[in-house]
Amino acid sequence: MSGLPERKEVRVRRLLEGPYPVVPPGLAAGAAARGSRILRRRRTLRRIGWAVLLAAVAAFCVWAALTRPWAVPPSGISPPLERW
């Protein structure tokens, strides 16, 4: 059991000391292009989200101004008539 971590450590050291793999020439440019696409997409979605939120707030304000939900509704029963 104690020999297993030592063998793994030796194998890792051998990999780190050996020749490194060749990096494809367009890897950095492709990663940068992908990152800029992701950032552009996130920015667009954030702007659309804010626009939808603003439209919802404006629609709520217009609805509240037209229907006045805070006002007491008119009573369906008339007050009793006295002194006729």
Side-chain angles (χ1 to χ4, degrees):
M1 284 296 235
S2 65
L4 184 63
E6 291 175 2
R7 280 188 287 170
K8 285 186 178 181
E9 184 179 343
V10 169
R11 192 177 328 160
V12 169
R13 287 183 189 271
R14 198 174 331 131
L15 283 173
L16 291 175
E17 291 171 356
Y20 297 107
V22 178
V23 178
L27 184 66
R34 184 172 187 263
S36 65
R37 276 195 312 268
I38 290 172
L39 287 176
R40 202 168 44 247
R41 186 177 304 138
R42 283 183 185 170
R43 188 181 311 127
T44 302
L45 288 175
R46 191 178 305 124
R47 286 180 180 170
I48 289 172
W50 278 110
V52 167
L53 181 66
L54 182 65
V57 167
F60 175 77
C61 290
V62 168
W63 170 81
L66 293 176
T67 61
R68 298 181 185 231
W70 58 86
V72 178
S75 175
I77 302 173
S78 60
L81 295 175
E82 299 177 8
R83 298 186 183 182
W84 262 85

